[in-house]
Short mmCIF file of all heavy atoms in Angstrom, two decimals:
data_model
loop_
_atom_site.label_atom_id
_atom_site.label_comp_id
_atom_site.label_asym_id
_atom_site.label_seq_id
_atom_site.Cartn_x
_atom_site.Cartn_y
_atom_site.Cartn_z
N LEU E 152 11.77 10.79 31.22
CA LEU E 152 12.85 10.28 30.34
C LEU E 152 14.23 10.74 30.76
O LEU E 152 15.17 9.97 30.73
CB LEU E 152 12.56 10.70 28.88
CG LEU E 152 11.40 10.02 28.16
CD1 LEU E 152 11.17 10.70 26.81
CD2 LEU E 152 11.66 8.54 27.99
N ILE E 153 14.35 12.03 31.11
CA ILE E 153 15.67 12.61 31.32
C ILE E 153 15.84 13.23 32.69
O ILE E 153 16.89 13.76 33.01
CB ILE E 153 16.04 13.62 30.24
CG1 ILE E 153 15.04 14.77 30.20
CG2 ILE E 153 16.13 12.91 28.88
CD1 ILE E 153 15.42 15.87 29.21
N GLY E 154 14.82 13.16 33.55
CA GLY E 154 14.88 13.78 34.88
C GLY E 154 14.40 15.21 34.87
O GLY E 154 14.38 15.88 33.84
N LEU E 155 14.00 15.66 36.05
CA LEU E 155 13.37 16.95 36.16
C LEU E 155 14.34 18.11 35.84
O LEU E 155 13.95 19.08 35.20
CB LEU E 155 12.82 17.14 37.58
CG LEU E 155 12.02 18.40 37.89
CD1 LEU E 155 10.84 18.54 36.92
CD2 LEU E 155 11.56 18.42 39.33
N ALA E 156 15.58 18.02 36.30
CA ALA E 156 16.53 19.11 36.07
C ALA E 156 16.78 19.36 34.61
O ALA E 156 16.73 20.50 34.13
CB ALA E 156 17.84 18.82 36.80
N ARG E 157 17.02 18.32 33.86
CA ARG E 157 17.29 18.45 32.43
C ARG E 157 16.01 18.84 31.67
O ARG E 157 16.08 19.61 30.72
CB ARG E 157 17.87 17.18 31.89
CG ARG E 157 19.30 16.99 32.24
CD ARG E 157 19.85 15.59 31.88
NE ARG E 157 21.28 15.55 32.00
CZ ARG E 157 22.01 14.44 31.98
NH1 ARG E 157 21.40 13.27 31.87
NH2 ARG E 157 23.32 14.46 32.09
N ALA E 158 14.87 18.34 32.14
CA ALA E 158 13.60 18.71 31.51
C ALA E 158 13.35 20.21 31.65
O ALA E 158 12.95 20.91 30.70
CB ALA E 158 12.45 17.90 32.08
N ARG E 159 13.55 20.73 32.83
CA ARG E 159 13.38 22.16 33.08
C ARG E 159 14.36 22.98 32.26
O ARG E 159 14.01 24.03 31.70
CB ARG E 159 13.52 22.47 34.55
CG ARG E 159 12.32 22.08 35.37
CD ARG E 159 12.34 22.61 36.77
NE ARG E 159 13.47 22.12 37.55
CZ ARG E 159 13.39 21.84 38.86
NH1 ARG E 159 12.24 22.05 39.48
NH2 ARG E 159 14.44 21.39 39.52
N GLU E 160 15.57 22.48 32.15
CA GLU E 160 16.59 23.20 31.36
C GLU E 160 16.13 23.30 29.88
O GLU E 160 16.26 24.41 29.29
CB GLU E 160 17.93 22.47 31.42
CG GLU E 160 19.04 23.07 30.60
CD GLU E 160 20.30 22.22 30.69
OE1 GLU E 160 20.43 21.38 31.58
OE2 GLU E 160 21.18 22.46 29.80
N MET E 161 15.66 22.21 29.34
CA MET E 161 15.21 22.23 27.94
C MET E 161 14.08 23.20 27.76
O MET E 161 14.01 23.93 26.78
CB MET E 161 14.84 20.84 27.48
CG MET E 161 15.97 19.91 27.28
SD MET E 161 15.50 18.45 26.27
CE MET E 161 15.43 19.27 24.64
N ALA E 162 13.10 23.20 28.70
CA ALA E 162 11.92 23.98 28.55
C ALA E 162 12.18 25.48 28.80
O ALA E 162 11.65 26.32 28.05
CB ALA E 162 10.83 23.50 29.55
N LEU E 163 12.99 25.80 29.81
CA LEU E 163 13.19 27.22 30.15
C LEU E 163 14.16 27.90 29.19
O LEU E 163 13.96 29.08 28.87
CB LEU E 163 13.71 27.31 31.58
CG LEU E 163 12.74 26.86 32.67
CD1 LEU E 163 13.44 26.82 34.02
CD2 LEU E 163 11.51 27.77 32.73
N LEU E 164 15.21 27.21 28.72
CA LEU E 164 16.21 27.84 27.91
C LEU E 164 15.95 27.66 26.42
O LEU E 164 16.45 28.41 25.59
CB LEU E 164 17.61 27.31 28.25
CG LEU E 164 18.07 27.54 29.68
CD1 LEU E 164 19.48 26.98 29.86
CD2 LEU E 164 18.06 29.04 30.01
N SER E 165 15.17 26.65 26.05
CA SER E 165 14.80 26.39 24.65
C SER E 165 16.04 26.29 23.75
O SER E 165 16.03 26.72 22.58
CB SER E 165 13.87 27.49 24.12
OG SER E 165 12.60 27.34 24.66
N GLU E 166 17.11 25.70 24.23
CA GLU E 166 18.32 25.51 23.43
C GLU E 166 18.23 24.17 22.65
O GLU E 166 17.53 23.26 23.06
CB GLU E 166 19.56 25.51 24.31
CG GLU E 166 19.80 26.88 24.95
CD GLU E 166 21.01 26.88 25.86
OE1 GLU E 166 21.50 25.77 26.21
OE2 GLU E 166 21.46 27.97 26.25
N LYS E 167 18.98 24.10 21.58
CA LYS E 167 18.98 22.88 20.76
C LYS E 167 19.77 21.80 21.50
O LYS E 167 20.82 22.04 22.09
CB LYS E 167 19.65 23.14 19.43
CG LYS E 167 18.90 24.10 18.50
CD LYS E 167 19.64 24.27 17.20
CE LYS E 167 18.89 25.22 16.26
NZ LYS E 167 19.62 25.44 14.99
N LEU E 168 19.21 20.60 21.45
CA LEU E 168 19.85 19.42 22.02
C LEU E 168 20.27 18.49 20.88
O LEU E 168 19.44 17.90 20.22
CB LEU E 168 18.93 18.69 22.97
CG LEU E 168 19.52 17.51 23.74
CD1 LEU E 168 20.46 18.03 24.85
CD2 LEU E 168 18.44 16.63 24.35
N PRO E 169 21.60 18.36 20.62
CA PRO E 169 22.03 17.50 19.52
C PRO E 169 21.66 16.05 19.76
O PRO E 169 21.50 15.61 20.91
CB PRO E 169 23.56 17.68 19.52
CG PRO E 169 23.82 18.93 20.29
CD PRO E 169 22.71 19.00 21.30
N ALA E 170 21.54 15.29 18.68
CA ALA E 170 21.15 13.89 18.77
C ALA E 170 22.06 13.10 19.67
O ALA E 170 21.63 12.26 20.46
CB ALA E 170 21.10 13.30 17.36
N GLU E 171 23.39 13.35 19.59
CA GLU E 171 24.33 12.60 20.40
C GLU E 171 24.11 12.83 21.89
O GLU E 171 24.16 11.91 22.69
CB GLU E 171 25.76 12.98 20.05
CG GLU E 171 26.21 12.53 18.65
CD GLU E 171 26.58 11.02 18.63
OE1 GLU E 171 26.44 10.35 19.66
OE2 GLU E 171 27.01 10.54 17.56
N THR E 172 23.81 14.08 22.26
CA THR E 172 23.53 14.41 23.66
C THR E 172 22.19 13.78 24.07
O THR E 172 22.08 13.30 25.19
CB THR E 172 23.51 15.92 23.91
OG1 THR E 172 24.72 16.48 23.39
CG2 THR E 172 23.37 16.26 25.34
N ALA E 173 21.20 13.81 23.20
CA ALA E 173 19.93 13.19 23.47
C ALA E 173 20.11 11.71 23.79
O ALA E 173 19.46 11.15 24.70
CB ALA E 173 18.96 13.38 22.31
N LEU E 174 21.00 11.07 23.08
CA LEU E 174 21.28 9.64 23.35
C LEU E 174 21.95 9.45 24.69
O LEU E 174 21.57 8.60 25.49
CB LEU E 174 22.14 9.08 22.24
CG LEU E 174 22.53 7.61 22.37
CD1 LEU E 174 21.33 6.69 22.36
CD2 LEU E 174 23.54 7.20 21.28
N GLU E 175 22.92 10.33 25.01
CA GLU E 175 23.62 10.25 26.29
C GLU E 175 22.65 10.48 27.46
O GLU E 175 22.77 9.82 28.51
CB GLU E 175 24.73 11.30 26.37
CG GLU E 175 25.88 11.06 25.36
CD GLU E 175 26.85 12.22 25.37
OE1 GLU E 175 26.69 13.13 26.23
OE2 GLU E 175 27.75 12.21 24.51
#
Side-chain angles (χ1 to χ4, degrees):
L152 288 173
I153 59 176
L155 184 58
R157 285 171 168 166
R159 285 192 296 215
E160 178 184 344
M161 288 199 73
L163 294 172
L164 299 181
S165 287
E166 294 178 345
K167 294 180 180 180
L168 185 73
E171 291 282 3
T172 307
L174 179 62
E175 293 172 8

